[in-house]
Amino acid sequence: MSKLQNVNNTMTSDIHSKTTREITSRQLSANSGAQSLMAVSMAWMDSLYDHDRRMLRHPDRPKQHMVRESLWYALGLVFESLQTGERDARIKRVVEIVSNVLACQYNTPSKIWHGTFKRTPQEPDPPDGAVIWKDYDPNWRQFVGTILLLLRRLEGHLALARLVPAIDAALIRCIEGEPVNRVPPGYTNIALMKAWLEIEAGDLVDASIQARGLSYAHKIREAFCKHNAFAEYNSPTYYGINFFALGLWQNFSDDLEEMGREINTRLWADVARFYHAGMKNLCGPWSRSYGMDMQRYVSALSLWVWAVTEKSVAPFPQSTRDLVHGHDFCLGPIAAFSAVDIDPGIKERLTSFEQSQIVSQQISFDPLRKAEAYLSPNLMIGLESSSRSFHGTDQYHPLTIHWLKSDNAVGWCRLRFKGSTVGSLNQNTLNLKFTADPQVTSASLQFSDCIRLDALSVSSDGLTMTLETGCQLEADANNLTITFPNSLRENAVSIICKVDDQGLARS
């Protein structure tokens, strides 16, 4: 029987509820950026709400509904009720959403997907021999479980009282269904949520779960503090989830508060080093990113920058219509309440670009991974040198180049390569050595705009790139293919990037 269901722990639960509501109210009123983010994101989600299905429609696939994002919206509705004092319509909708989300959890103890949730209620049950990520997403245990626990603390003694037993049962499945070693400490965004969930809800299962979660949290901190870097390094996408989880550590866990504050402070400091306020982008290299220009798609980190500064300086699309990767805008309320105060010097770096600089960061020694970046008023280059191959995953960007084009928009270039890349960066000059995976004979540089190749010189709108290499170069539309004369050995390329004089004059 859950400890949260006995008399003494009911009192503790009430204390948690009061404290959670107080902290949440304080966080939401901390600055105008958080308030505007809450208002804009909630209005956008209001337009997606399906009154018949009682969940959010997917912005790109309106016949499908979103499980995780609907719960983020429900939490935002509770936040709005705390701010306005108007509860009836909002909280009624919260109850409906939570009920529907609970119905989407897999209760299949003999299956590997036990305890996780459907991504959409229209999703079929996983078949025998189900393929992870394709047929089910195990991370929904953490994404959904953390929000269920927050909602329990906020409304478990009020509107959600009759659902508390079902919520507790769902949390138990989230914890029990999670294979112990599936999420290593370096799987940062999921690991941070998992640690908090086990510590704060582990006694629903067994007190030993809490001890396990705390030990796990110390391993996450230990891995981070080796170099003040996460293995999922420099991610426009998952740094937002990290900041959400670290907000939980700092504000809603006595055991994790100090560690959460320490990691959060250091993480924001590193973000500020790689952030270009003039171009409104996080300079690469990126371990995980879904897009190349944070002003043209919704990245989770952009929402946290918005929350701690202002919308006008945040990297976000100009309009909320037809948002690319728009479902992540549902994180708006999460960012608004979990973005803690940051150092004034960091905030200054997020709002104005001061001077050109080269920054570097050791990510790990085993495997060897090092990030370097050059940031100037009109150009920024990011490079990761690594002894391991990331096998060309679409989210991994070991080389990124951004510049200001003739129309003052941001142009970009990225490397696509299956193998390991080692190199050096000296301001606008790159020296690269490619070691290809088996059967790989080329690498490619993809550009945001059409390119022109003239001998060893590549030009795009606002940028000229001069290459020195023994490799064969071939241009096609917005792609430069680099074919290796011998793919079984290391192949070298030197690149000098120059922004045109017109672009330089604008700065």
Side-chain angles (χ1 to χ4, degrees), residues 112 216 251 370 396 449:
I112 193 66
Y216 180 65
N251 290 309
K370 182 179 180 180
Y396 175 56
D449 299 277

Side-chain angles (χ1 to χ4, degrees), residues 367 386-393 396 417-421 435-438:
S386 177
S387 62
R388 71 169 181 174
S389 170
F390 284 77
H391 306 296
T393 173
Y396 175 56
F417 174 59
K418 295 183 178 181
S420 62
T421 306
T435 301
D437 285 350

Side-chain angles (χ1 to χ4, degrees), residues 203-220:
D203 64 345
L204 285 167
V205 181
D206 186 273
S208 65
I209 300 296
Q210 294 176 310
R212 184 183 77 185
L214 186 57
S215 174
Y216 180 65
H218 280 287
K219 291 178 182 177
I220 296 170

Side-chain angles (χ1 to χ4, degrees), residues 27-63:
Q27 289 292 107
L28 293 171
S29 60
N31 59 66
S32 58
Q35 293 167 21
S36 69
L37 174 58
M38 171 72 75
V40 176
S41 62
M42 287 301 294
W44 183 77
M45 283 187 281
D46 286 340
S47 70
L48 295 178
Y49 187 70
D50 186 331
H51 292 269
D52 295 326
R53 190 61 184 82
R54 296 171 182 177
M55 296 183 100
L56 293 186
R57 297 185 304 275
H58 195 289
D60 299 325
R61 300 184 292 274
K63 291 184 178 180

Side-chain angles (χ1 to χ4, degrees), residues 60 74 77 82 110 172 177 184 197-198 246 283 285 311 330 342 374 381 384 406 411 424 479 481:
D60 299 325
L77 291 168
L82 291 175
S110 64
I172 290 171
L197 190 61
E198 289 191 352
L246 290 169
C283 183
K311 182 180 185 297
C330 299
I342 61 174
Y374 170 63
I381 305 172
E384 178 177 329
S406 58
S424 61
N479 188 75
T481 300

Side-chain angles (χ1 to χ4, degrees), residues 88-385:
D88 291 350
R90 288 183 176 88
I91 299 304
K92 180 177 181 293
R93 189 172 290 186
V94 169
V95 175
E96 294 170 347
I97 291 172
V98 173
S99 297
N100 284 330
V101 168
L102 291 172
C104 290
Q105 188 180 37
Y106 293 115
N107 185 6
T108 51
S110 64
K111 303 295 185 180
I112 193 66
W113 52 85
H114 173 60
T116 195
F117 295 76
K118 293 186 175 188
R119 288 161 286 193
T120 170
Q122 289 82 17
E123 185 173 32
D125 291 343
D128 291 337
V131 178
I132 190 172
W133 312 123
K134 175 179 179 290
D135 297 312
Y136 69 96
D137 191 327
N139 293 340
W140 256 236
R141 296 184 186 104
Q142 289 76 39
F143 277 115
V144 176
T146 51
I147 305 302
L148 284 175
L149 182 53
L150 277 174
L151 284 166
R152 188 197 192 286
R153 288 189 174 184
L154 285 163
E155 288 290 330
H157 62 304
L158 296 172
L160 294 177
R162 68 175 180 83
L163 292 178
V164 163
I167 293 173
D168 286 354
L171 292 170
I172 290 171
R173 294 185 198 109
C174 287
I175 294 170
E176 287 186 331
E178 178 60 51
V180 175
N181 297 318
R182 182 186 74 86
V183 182
Y187 193 177
T188 311
N189 73 102
I190 305 303
L192 290 167
M193 292 189 289
K194 179 178 182 286
W196 183 79
L197 190 61
E198 289 191 352
I199 290 170
E200 296 303 309
D203 64 345
L204 285 167
V205 181
D206 186 273
S208 65
I209 300 296
Q210 294 176 310
R212 184 183 77 185
L214 186 57
S215 174
Y216 180 65
H218 280 287
K219 291 178 182 177
I220 296 170
R221 177 191 175 276
E222 180 182 359
F224 175 82
C225 288
K226 284 182 181 179
H227 304 289
N228 284 333
F230 285 127
E232 289 182 325
Y233 185 70
N234 210 33
S235 172
T237 303
Y238 291 100
Y239 269 10
I241 306 302
N242 290 352
F243 284 128
F244 159 59
L246 290 169
L248 298 179
W249 282 36
Q250 292 173 89
N251 290 309
F252 305 109
S253 175
D254 293 337
D255 293 316
L256 297 173
E257 180 180 0
E258 185 175 342
M259 285 192 290
R261 183 173 295 108
E262 174 191 18
I263 297 172
N264 188 81
T265 299
R266 295 183 184 185
L267 186 59
W268 268 118
D270 196 56
V271 167
R273 290 198 306 147
F274 281 79
Y275 188 74
H276 195 303
M279 294 191 193
K280 293 186 178 181
N281 269 282
L282 183 70
C283 183
W286 303 322
S287 290
R288 301 184 72 182
S289 178
Y290 290 108
M292 285 297 297
D293 182 358
M294 295 168 71
Q295 298 180 90
R296 296 185 179 276
Y297 79 103
V298 180
S299 71
L301 179 61
S302 71
L303 305 180
W304 268 261
V305 174
W306 180 346
V308 299
T309 57
E310 295 286 347
K311 182 180 185 297
S312 60
V313 299
F316 193 80
Q318 292 185 352
S319 171
T320 57
R321 294 189 61 184
D322 302 321
L323 289 172
V324 177
H325 217 255
H327 58 278
D328 269 357
F329 195 31
C330 299
L331 278 164
I334 309 297
F337 100 101
S338 64
V340 300
D341 291 338
I342 61 174
D343 181 88
I346 293 175
K347 185 175 289 191
E348 180 68 22
R349 289 290 305 274
L350 297 176
T351 56
S352 62
F353 182 83
E354 295 180 355
Q355 60 184 6
S356 300
Q357 61 179 325
I358 294 178
V359 295
S360 64
Q361 176 65 49
Q362 194 72 43
I363 304 171
S364 66
F365 283 114
D366 184 19
L368 179 65
R369 297 180 63 199
K370 182 179 180 180
E372 298 177 89
Y374 170 63
L375 294 88
S376 72
N378 302 78
L379 173 70
M380 62 180 186
I381 305 172
L383 171 67
E384 178 177 329
S385 292

